[in-house]
Amino acid sequence: MPSDSFSSHTTCVEVALGERSYPIEITSSELDEIGARILLRIPDLTHALVIFDSEVEKRWGSLFIKSFSEPSLPNGNRIRVDSIAVASGESSKSISQLAELWQWMLDRSADRKSVVIAIGGGVVGDLAGFAAATYTRGIRFVQIPTTLLAMVDSSVGGKTGINLPTSKNMIGAFWQPSLVLIDTDMLRTLPKRAYLSGLAEVIKYGVIDDISFFEWLEENSRKLVDCDDKTVRRAIAESCRSKANVVSEDERETSGRRAILNYGHTFAHALEATAGYGTLLHGEAVAIGMQMAANLAVATKLCSTELLNRQTTLIESCELPTTFPDADVKSMLVVMQQDKKVSHGKLRFVLPERIGQVKMVGDVDQAYVARAIEACR
Amino acid sequence: MPSDSFSSHTTCVEVALGERSYPIEITSSELDEIGARILLRIPDLTHALVIFDSEVEKRWGSLFIKSFSEPSLPNGNRIRVDSIAVASGESSKSISQLAELWQWMLDRSADRKSVVIAIGGGVVGDLAGFAAATYTRGIRFVQIPTTLLAMVDSSVGGKTGINLPTSKNMIGAFWQPSLVLIDTDMLRTLPKRAYLSGLAEVIKYGVIDDISFFEWLEENSRKLVDCDDKTVRRAIAESCRSKANVVSEDERETSGRRAILNYGHTFAHALEATAGYGTLLHGEAVAIGMQMAANLAVATKLCSTELLNRQTTLIESCELPTTFPDADVKSMLVVMQQDKKVSHGKLRFVLPERIGQVKMVGDVDQAYVARAIEACR
């Protein structure tokens, strides 16, 4: 099967990280050939360790495993495929689940040439990626994100890890995948609310990095909401390209450049922490958080109200919330004081100057922050 | 305190790994200034997470902690020092001990600027190094090896990790320290047998890499056995330099170059696995393993008997064993078949061609291997 048989509906984004560079292939309706696609990129694959999200496994598991056993595999390779499912949800990013994966890999005689394939959302990607980063001090890793959020966010950047009982993402490694495969068909089985939630991060890239992408989103929000294949592929590709540019300038989060990806997130984390678990999806909190940040930027005369208005309209047309009536200003401020981005007690925010351009602003007056939250209640 | 106040008894070996390069400082009788020495190399240190081997902590703990609180610290820095001790012995390289360290670091509010300082032998270095590699996706790490084996072996190479219940060193990361500090005074409290055991790895570097070092060892074996400061410092420095050269050519063990460091180790691992836990120290098994490898090289006409004889004499003059009368040929062969260096069932060995030069030899006839073991019973 020639490689160009994939090309008509496939966009490829290259994440440039020197010897750790890798491609993100974005396509639609190619799920039955996914095994062959992986083999084209990793021709020496002999042993696949497939780690599924348990919900994804129910829907796509047999199709995926079957795609590795097709007689049309290139070079007639014979692949040993072992698979395991981990429970959906954040609680799988635990030490005990990680220990179970390590033992499973050993029991399946995984060695340095084995390849971990993670199929699921951010939780499975983070967990399986960290297992890959640490098994025999690091083996190769393919990511197949199945949620829009994972496609546009965690598929770029190499962040892997688990939680400690009282602290998220405290343990982990920077470990770049060898390949990321995205098929928009997988979005069709995602609940609509979860799908829309992912659009918040897509909008974020327009605001922080790319006005022409923002304008394209304004024109195409209807098609995006309807999950039109071609439109979604482009939105994913542009998002990955934006994030890849930022990450390739600051792979290990040392220069501060990567911080711009946190636009809206300081508010969002405080919303998530105070709203009660499960009240808001992450992307919904990010949408409201971006509104709070834009309000703060207007109040501190960093940007015009036009930016705020255009952002509001775009978020609304993506059927995402722009306000959260139950927001508790006082407890949100307490949470924000504990945020990792706080430097010696002074609140710092990523704020927009104009569409496509943000800056890090330190030492923001708490009264302005409180008013920005109020504005979105 | 000017940095050259250390220089009279200090040798510095640079491990060249690009942006991950680091120095190894080798000295004697400077333990009371060890905090100041670390600060000279890491001037922005504000929070030290000291992880001791429990035996080492009993002997050196208070001296070490005190060295951080001297008023003579450069720049008047104030350092927050937290410390913890882990039990001596291989069983500390466990998932549960690692999880405990992670939680301890979080409880002590460690962040990305905190620095892990490991003080102990290989076990503590591997464990603490892996904790450093994975806490917030990686923080800085200083190694203070306290055994000769750790000084000449695990202080170079960046291998960190833990064991799974049934398999050693399966989980880990390549994570280079920022600094290695070696003070030969710490060897004075090591049991003599453990000290001598470390000399086996020193001899190894002579055989695999450097005939002039081998000759120097022949001339100075008496002083080495007596733990003469100056002689030991030179032996450590030359060993680290040899290993650093190999590692800088093959940092992540991908080219095969690093394999030469396993001279004698395929036999040694089989000896350790079959002799019963604790019968032989690792270095003793390496000494006998090198004798078996040299016998195999002679039998396969790869080298002269002169090499074997000189190696035998040097090992004996370092008061290390050259034979193991209880060696069980059959069970050793079974273990060797399971070794990671076995390729499709064929035994592979690092064998000497002449002193200072080894090669990897594949497809060795089992009968020769059995006879090489017999020769050292």
Side-chain angles (χ1 to χ4, degrees):
Chain A
M1 174 172 30
S3 69
D4 61 8
S5 72
F6 300 133
S7 60
S8 53
H9 298 297
T10 299
T11 307
C12 188
V13 176
E14 187 77 15
V15 182
L17 294 165
E19 60 185 14
R20 290 179 299 284
S21 297
Y22 64 92
I24 303 175
E25 286 186 14
I26 304 153
T27 189
S28 302
S29 308
E30 305 272 13
L31 283 169
D32 53 337
E33 287 178 345
I34 205 156
R37 298 175 71 85
I38 292 172
L39 279 165
L40 276 172
R41 292 286 190 174
I42 307 181
D44 66 339
L45 175 63
T46 54
H47 182 208
L49 295 156
V50 185
I51 302 176
F52 285 107
D53 171 288
S54 60
E55 292 304 311
V56 173
E57 196 264 344
K58 282 180 201 158
R59 176 68 185 81
W60 303 106
S62 59
L63 179 72
F64 182 82
I65 301 293
K66 187 167 168 282
S67 79
F68 268 106
S69 54
E70 290 296 307
S72 60
L73 286 184
N75 317 325
N77 288 13
R78 266 205 195 160
I79 315 293
R80 187 157 60 93
V81 181
D82 288 305
S83 73
I84 194 169
V86 301
S88 299
E90 192 72 23
S91 62
S92 283
K93 282 173 65 176
S94 66
I95 295 172
S96 60
Q97 179 64 72
L98 175 68
E100 202 181 292
L101 283 184
W102 281 338
Q103 188 61 47
W104 171 74
M105 292 161 82
L106 179 64
D107 292 344
R108 294 302 178 280
S109 307
D111 63 24
R112 285 204 179 154
K113 295 193 166 167
S114 303
V115 176
V116 168
I117 303 177
I119 312 186
V123 166
V124 164
D126 285 3
L127 172 68
F130 188 49
T134 50
Y135 189 80
T136 66
R137 303 194 190 91
I139 63 177
R140 287 172 297 177
F141 164 48
V142 173
Q143 233 180 325
I144 303 180
T146 59
T147 67
L148 183 57
L149 188 62
M151 290 172 184
V152 299
D153 185 17
S154 53
S155 65
V156 187
K159 285 189 177 180
T160 69
I162 58 169
N163 303 326
L164 290 182
T166 58
S167 195
K168 276 186 71 169
N169 295 322
M170 280 311 289
I171 304 302
F174 287 99
W175 193 248
Q176 305 297 341
S178 302
L179 169 67
V180 176
L181 287 184
I182 292 172
D183 194 307
T184 59
D185 276 20
M186 285 187 158
L187 297 174
R188 302 196 176 283
T189 48
L190 202 64
K192 186 79 178 178
R193 188 177 161 198
Y195 170 73
L196 294 173
S197 162
L199 291 178
E201 297 279 356
V202 174
I203 294 169
K204 181 190 79 177
Y205 295 112
V207 180
I208 67 173
D209 188 48
D210 188 347
I211 187 168
S212 63
F213 181 46
F214 189 93
E215 287 164 352
W216 179 86
L217 289 171
E218 289 177 319
E219 287 155 26
N220 292 277
S221 60
R222 186 72 252 147
K223 285 186 190 166
L224 260 187
V225 168
D226 292 342
C227 204
D228 169 70
D229 277 346
K230 201 177 152 194
T231 312
V232 173
R233 284 204 302 275
R234 172 141 178 210
I236 294 169
E238 294 294 339
S239 298
C240 290
R241 210 166 276 145
S242 265
K243 184 162 181 184
N245 285 341
V246 174
V247 167
S248 63
E249 288 171 31
D250 184 19
E251 183 180 358
R252 299 189 67 93
E253 219 164 27
T254 46
S255 77
R257 175 73 182 149
R258 246 178 119 140
I260 72 162
L261 298 169
N262 288 318
Y263 175 54
H265 282 62
T266 303
F267 287 107
H269 292 152
L271 276 166
E272 289 177 283
T274 58
Y277 180 75
T279 308
L280 288 168
L281 296 183
H282 177 65
E284 293 167 347
V286 169
I288 301 161
M290 291 192 293
Q291 289 294 97
M292 291 173 176
N295 269 287
L296 182 55
V298 171
T300 54
K301 306 208 187 309
L302 205 69
C303 77
S304 67
T305 51
E306 190 224 341
L307 181 148
L308 172 60
N309 294 338
R310 284 178 72 181
Q311 182 180 284
T312 307
T313 306
L314 180 54
I315 291 175
E316 283 174 346
S317 64
C318 288
E319 301 184 7
L320 281 164
T322 54
T323 60
F324 186 62
D326 293 339
D328 182 326
V329 180
K330 270 192 190 163
S331 46
M332 282 182 67
L333 286 173
V334 170
V335 171
M336 281 191 264
Q337 281 292 348
Q338 296 161 351
D339 192 282
K340 275 178 280 188
K341 285 174 289 301
V342 172
S343 180
H344 299 298
K346 286 175 187 166
L347 291 168
R348 299 170 74 214
F349 292 91
V350 179
L351 297 180
E353 295 179 295
R354 53 179 188 275
I355 293 171
Q357 174 83 38
V358 289
K359 67 184 257 189
M360 181 64 82
V361 181
D363 202 8
V364 179
D365 192 323
Q366 275 216 7
Y368 282 107
V369 179
R371 251 175 282 157
I373 298 172
E374 290 284 356
C376 299
R377 292 214 304 176
Chain B
M1 174 170 32
S3 68
D4 61 9
S5 73
F6 299 132
S7 59
S8 52
H9 298 297
T10 300
T11 307
C12 188
V13 176
E14 187 76 17
V15 182
L17 293 166
E19 60 185 15
R20 290 179 299 284
S21 297
Y22 63 92
I24 303 175
E25 286 185 13
I26 303 153
T27 190
S28 302
S29 308
E30 305 273 11
L31 283 170
D32 52 339
E33 287 178 345
I34 206 157
R37 297 175 71 85
I38 291 172
L39 279 165
L40 277 171
R41 291 286 189 174
I42 307 181
D44 66 339
L45 175 62
T46 54
H47 183 207
L49 296 155
V50 184
I51 303 175
F52 285 106
D53 171 288
S54 60
E55 292 303 312
V56 173
E57 197 263 346
K58 280 180 204 157
R59 178 67 184 82
W60 304 106
S62 59
L63 179 71
F64 182 81
I65 301 293
K66 188 167 166 283
S67 80
F68 269 107
S69 54
E70 289 296 307
S72 60
L73 286 184
N75 317 325
N77 287 13
R78 266 208 196 158
I79 316 292
R80 188 156 59 93
V81 181
D82 287 306
S83 73
I84 194 170
V86 301
S88 298
E90 193 71 23
S91 62
S92 283
K93 282 174 64 176
S94 66
I95 295 172
S96 60
Q97 179 64 69
L98 175 67
E100 202 180 294
L101 282 185
W102 281 337
Q103 188 62 47
W104 172 74
M105 292 161 82
L106 179 64
D107 292 343
R108 293 303 179 278
S109 306
D111 62 24
R112 284 202 179 156
K113 296 193 166 168
S114 303
V115 176
V116 169
I117 303 176
I119 311 186
V123 167
V124 164
D126 284 4
L127 172 69
F130 188 48
T134 51
Y135 188 80
T136 66
R137 301 193 191 91
I139 63 176
R140 288 173 295 177
F141 164 49
V142 173
Q143 232 179 327
I144 303 180
T146 59
T147 67
L148 183 58
L149 188 62
M151 290 172 184
V152 299
D153 185 16
S154 53
S155 65
V156 187
K159 285 190 178 178
T160 69
I162 58 169
N163 304 325
L164 290 181
T166 58
S167 196
K168 274 185 73 168
N169 295 323
M170 281 310 290
I171 304 303
F174 286 99
W175 193 247
Q176 305 298 341
S178 303
L179 169 66
V180 176
L181 287 184
I182 293 172
D183 194 308
T184 58
D185 275 20
M186 285 186 157
L187 298 173
R188 301 198 176 283
T189 48
L190 202 64
K192 185 81 179 178
R193 189 177 160 198
Y195 170 74
L196 294 173
S197 162
L199 291 178
E201 297 280 355
V202 173
I203 294 168
K204 182 189 79 176
Y205 295 113
V207 180
I208 67 174
D209 188 48
D210 189 348
I211 187 169
S212 62
F213 181 46
F214 189 94
E215 287 165 350
W216 179 85
L217 288 172
E218 289 178 319
E219 287 155 26
N220 291 277
S221 60
R222 187 71 252 146
K223 285 186 190 168
L224 260 187
V225 168
D226 291 342
C227 205
D228 170 70
D229 277 345
K230 201 177 152 194
T231 312
V232 173
R233 284 204 303 274
R234 171 141 179 211
I236 294 168
E238 294 294 339
S239 298
C240 289
R241 210 166 276 145
S242 265
K243 184 160 181 185
N245 285 340
V246 174
V247 167
S248 63
E249 288 170 31
D250 184 19
E251 184 180 358
R252 299 190 67 91
E253 220 163 29
T254 46
S255 77
R257 174 73 183 149
R258 248 178 116 139
I260 72 162
L261 299 170
N262 288 319
Y263 174 54
H265 282 62
T266 303
F267 287 107
H269 292 153
L271 276 166
E272 289 177 283
T274 57
Y277 180 76
T279 308
L280 288 169
L281 296 183
H282 177 66
E284 292 167 347
V286 169
I288 301 160
M290 291 192 294
Q291 289 294 96
M292 291 174 176
N295 269 287
L296 182 55
V298 170
T300 55
K301 307 210 187 306
L302 205 67
C303 76
S304 66
T305 50
E306 190 223 342
L307 181 149
L308 173 60
N309 293 338
R310 282 179 71 181
Q311 181 179 284
T312 308
T313 306
L314 180 54
I315 290 174
E316 284 173 347
S317 63
C318 288
E319 301 183 7
L320 281 163
T322 54
T323 60
F324 185 62
D326 293 340
D328 182 327
V329 179
K330 271 192 190 163
S331 45
M332 281 181 67
L333 285 172
V334 170
V335 171
M336 282 191 264
Q337 281 292 349
Q338 296 160 351
D339 193 281
K340 277 177 280 188
K341 286 173 290 299
V342 172
S343 181
H344 299 297
K346 286 173 186 166
L347 292 169
R348 301 169 73 214
F349 292 91
V350 179
L351 297 181
E353 296 178 295
R354 55 179 186 275
I355 292 170
Q357 174 83 39
V358 289
K359 69 184 259 189
M360 181 64 82
V361 181
D363 201 10
V364 179
D365 192 323
Q366 276 216 5
Y368 282 107
V369 179
R371 250 174 285 157
I373 298 172
E374 291 284 356
C376 299
R377 292 213 305 176

